Amino acid sequence: MTAPTSDAVATFRHFIAGQWCDSTSGVTFESVNPADTRDVVGRFQQGTAADAAMAIKAAETAFPMWRRTPAPKRGEILYAFGQLMAEHKERLARAMTREMGKVLAEARGDVQEGIDIAFLMAGEGRRMFGDTVPSELPDKWAMSIRQPIGIAGIITPWNFPMAIPCWKMMPALVTGNTVVFKPASDTPHCATLLVELMAEAGFPAGVVNLVTGGGGEVGDAIVGGPDVAVISFTGSSATGKGIAEKAGRRLKRLSLELGGKNGVVVLGDADLDLATDGILWSAFGTTGQRCTACSRVIVDRSITDALLERLEARARTLRLGSGLDETIDVGPLINAAAVDKVAGYVDIGRGEGELVLGGGRADGDGLEHGHFFEPTVFAGVRPMDRIGQEEIFGPVLSVIPVDGYDEAMLALNQTRYGLSSSIYTRDVNVAFRAMRDFETGIVYVNAGTTGAETHLPFGGWKETGNGHREAGRVALDTYTEWKSIYVDFSGRLQRAQIDNQ
Ligand code: NDP
């Protein structure tokens, strides 16, 4: 366990080569509760490039031992970690809500995703299948196996502060890579709690290393580190593009999960109450700060008023406050900059659509010390309006009226992102058309845009990513090299493509 100092506010440390240690900077930063910024969660090391270099060295030293540890044994440690997370689920969820604001039920879901991926990837320790195939030549054996790449640099955002690090670290580790983990500066406590449990689960020293601190310093040093072979990054498109350029210069393996502008299509025959439930959950859950959040409702003109009426009436009843109170529906935004960004988009939206709900900072009773923003709905938005195109990452929903499926499908696809989408219809033929036509990595039928399960691939098309997928068995592709192995037991020279023609 980390050893806090005697302050009322605990100070936490990096975890490098199996030791909790201070930064070479001698400087710490605070993480605060976004629902009440007077509540300081802890002090964390302001990491430096030198700290990152030490963590990379530790990961490099541990790699030969870890890659030779039998994969089923590695899987057992993942399993132990999953069990520890399950045992500590409530504590982890409460710490998450306190540090980043999502309501407790959702924080429990975030922890559960971590548990699920730990168990799924623990099983890969005994699967991790390659192919054994017939050779085209007699007396020759042909097979392919996965091997680890080396050191994995893991850089994560604050919005799923336990699920996303687990989605990345579990496949990296089970396949025999070692890890240097840099969490978002808004959620270092969540990261520290995870790594404490990883140490307890039995990952050997140097296999998992944690360095907190700024992206521009620690993250940049990891991306630029010549010995870091693979980078897995989830965050904003702007940061992701910068990382891609830097990693590309060294031809590093790179998995990017970036922004989204997810849409729900509601056709004239839809069950409007069901659609309202799904839209509210997808638009205002996690205060709209999910990469899969619905920020566009593309609705058939014939039912626009009926849907808007329902959305407005239901959204009005959502209760804002600290997510630690189980009666609260919507927590705060992550920080003051996020409130400014959302307010800026609301100003833009006033010139584009019709504001029908919300639109302001929420600072009523009990909210005055937090970063709260009202659930906001704009009607009459056009597909190419800025609020219909740009990722706002807050509780702002644009309602875009269209005529029929074809127009809805065009509007849905008319964005540079492609993470998640959904359609509400009772017509099975139209549902199948949507499954075929929507240009997103995830398509839902008669449900909102959120709620991915860990045994299926997760990721987006177009500028949401660079073609890699997290979760599911395909996650192993990010962290492994394929090796094709031929054994010729004929005792003579045999030439493929030549001697068998
Ligand atoms: P950011 O891009 O700001 O930050 C993400 C991470 O990158 C943080 O750890 C950050 O560190 C780090 N970072 C910042 N600058 C650099 C740099 N130059 N080099 C290396 N690392 C750097 O994103 P947010 O944290 O604001 O996350 C929100 C974004 O994440 C949204 O756009 C959302 O759509 C996206 N997201 C995508 C998902 C997907 O699967 N497609 C899932 C979840 C979120 P620091 O915190 O210290 O700045």
Side-chain angles (χ1 to χ4, degrees):
M1 291 289 194
T2 53
T5 60
S6 54
D7 292 353
V9 176
T11 299
F12 297 88
R13 302 192 158 92
H14 296 327
F15 188 65
I16 299 176
Q19 302 294 322
W20 296 98
C21 55
D22 289 339
S23 168
T24 51
S25 71
V27 177
T28 58
F29 66 97
E30 286 182 348
S31 175
V32 297
N33 179 345
D36 183 345
T37 55
R38 297 166 304 177
D39 175 24
V40 179
V41 172
R43 293 200 184 91
F44 297 85
Q45 303 301 312
Q46 187 69 54
T48 61
D51 300 343
M54 280 191 279
I56 293 167
K57 185 79 202 149
E60 191 184 9
T61 305
F63 179 59
M65 168 276 302
W66 185 241
R67 75 182 281 274
R68 282 194 216 106
T69 302
K73 285 280 161 226
R74 295 195 297 253
E76 280 170 24
I77 300 175
L78 265 73
Y79 192 82
F81 169 64
Q83 280 181 312
L84 281 169
M85 274 190 93
E87 225 171 87
H88 291 269
K89 181 171 172 179
E90 192 59 22
R91 179 173 72 89
L92 295 174
R94 286 182 177 275
M96 187 186 304
T97 297
R98 181 178 173 210
E99 189 171 41
M100 59 71 67
K102 69 172 70 170
V103 299
L104 254 182
E106 293 183 44
R108 291 184 189 116
D110 192 312
V111 179
Q112 189 59 47
E113 280 194 52
I115 297 166
D116 292 346
I117 197 80
F119 288 159
L120 178 75
M121 288 298 155
E124 285 302 327
R126 286 191 182 270
R127 284 187 298 264
M128 219 180 291
F129 300 133
D131 293 324
T132 304
V133 295
S135 165
E136 65 187 46
L137 291 166
D139 299 331
K140 189 177 171 192
W141 188 269
M143 61 189 172
S144 61
I145 61 169
R146 288 185 187 275
Q147 294 215 301
I149 300 183
I151 300 169
I154 305 294
I155 303 175
T156 56
W158 46 265
N159 64 340
F160 282 83
M162 295 198 186
I164 290 177
C166 290
W167 277 29
K168 296 180 186 305
M169 288 196 280
M170 295 300 110
L173 291 166
V174 78
T175 48
N177 302 276
T178 53
V179 158
V180 177
F181 169 30
K182 194 224 91 71
S185 294
D186 284 306
T187 49
H189 190 224
C190 289
T192 304
L193 295 176
L194 274 189
V195 172
E196 283 177 357
L197 293 183
M198 293 177 93
E200 195 178 335
F203 287 99
V207 170
V208 178
N209 303 278
L210 169 72
V211 183
T212 53
E217 169 100 19
V218 178
D220 190 64
I222 293 170
V223 174
D227 298 318
V228 180
V230 47
I231 303 289
S232 181
F233 169 83
T234 298
S236 61
S237 293
T239 308
K241 285 178 183 172
I243 287 176
E245 283 178 22
K246 191 157 186 156
R249 284 200 284 275
R250 291 190 182 273
L251 299 178
K252 290 189 185 199
R253 181 77 59 88
L254 175 66
S255 167
L256 296 173
E257 291 295 344
L258 309 174
K261 190 71 188 172
N262 312 290
V264 170
V265 169
V266 187
L267 294 183
D269 67 343
D271 177 337
L272 289 191
D273 291 323
L274 184 67
T276 303
D277 282 344
I279 293 165
L280 288 175
W281 168 239
S282 299
F284 303 126
T286 318
T287 323
Q289 303 169 109
R290 294 180 185 135
C291 48
T292 54
C294 162
S295 55
R296 299 184 295 155
V297 174
I298 298 159
V299 55
D300 193 87
R301 217 173 292 276
S302 64
I303 51 152
T304 302
D305 288 346
L307 182 68
L308 264 171
E309 209 172 278
R310 284 171 169 80
L311 284 174
E312 195 189 327
R314 292 275 308 283
R316 258 185 215 292
T317 68
L318 295 173
R319 292 197 57 212
L320 270 65
S322 162
L324 290 168
D325 173 347
E326 304 247 19
T327 66
I328 291 299
D329 301 299
V330 181
L333 290 166
I334 186 68
N335 53 35
V339 175
D340 289 343
K341 181 179 172 194
V342 173
Y345 272 107
V346 169
D347 285 343
I348 292 167
R350 286 178 203 273
E352 295 182 329
E354 181 201 346
L355 181 67
V356 291
L357 185 73
R361 297 162 200 254
D363 53 8
D365 253 6
L367 306 181
E368 57 274 32
H369 298 292
H371 303 301
F372 293 95
F373 204 93
E374 295 168 336
T376 298
V377 179
F378 282 99
V381 177
R382 287 156 305 176
M384 296 310 290
D385 283 340
R386 283 187 66 189
I387 57 167
Q389 285 292 319
E390 297 175 22
E391 187 181 50
I392 300 172
F393 227 54
V396 180
L397 185 63
S398 294
V399 176
I400 303 173
V402 292
D403 292 303
Y405 170 78
D406 288 335
E407 210 178 294
M409 183 265 287
L410 284 177
L412 183 103
N413 288 338
Q414 224 169 21
T415 154
R416 61 197 177 100
Y417 297 112
L419 184 53
S420 187
S421 60
S422 126
I423 185 163
Y424 283 87
T425 178
R426 289 185 168 103
D427 184 332
V428 68
N429 293 346
V430 174
F432 269 82
R433 270 177 220 141
M435 285 151 60
R436 180 194 61 197
D437 297 337
F438 287 6
E439 296 168 354
T440 53
I442 300 165
V443 177
Y444 272 96
V445 176
N446 290 329
T449 49
T450 63
E453 300 182 29
T454 52
H455 49 300
L456 276 80
F458 180 92
W461 291 23
K462 305 189 217 172
E463 289 191 31
T464 290
N466 63 343
H468 283 273
R469 289 291 181 273
E470 304 211 87
R473 193 170 290 169
V474 293
L476 302 183
D477 293 342
T478 298
Y479 303 100
T480 52
E481 289 284 9
W482 279 107
K483 186 179 277 179
S484 297
I485 302 173
Y486 303 98
V487 182
D488 190 318
F489 53 98
S490 68
R492 60 195 154 84
L493 175 66
Q494 295 196 94
R495 297 172 302 174
Q497 293 97 39
I498 296 172
D499 290 342
N500 55 343
Q501 293 307 308

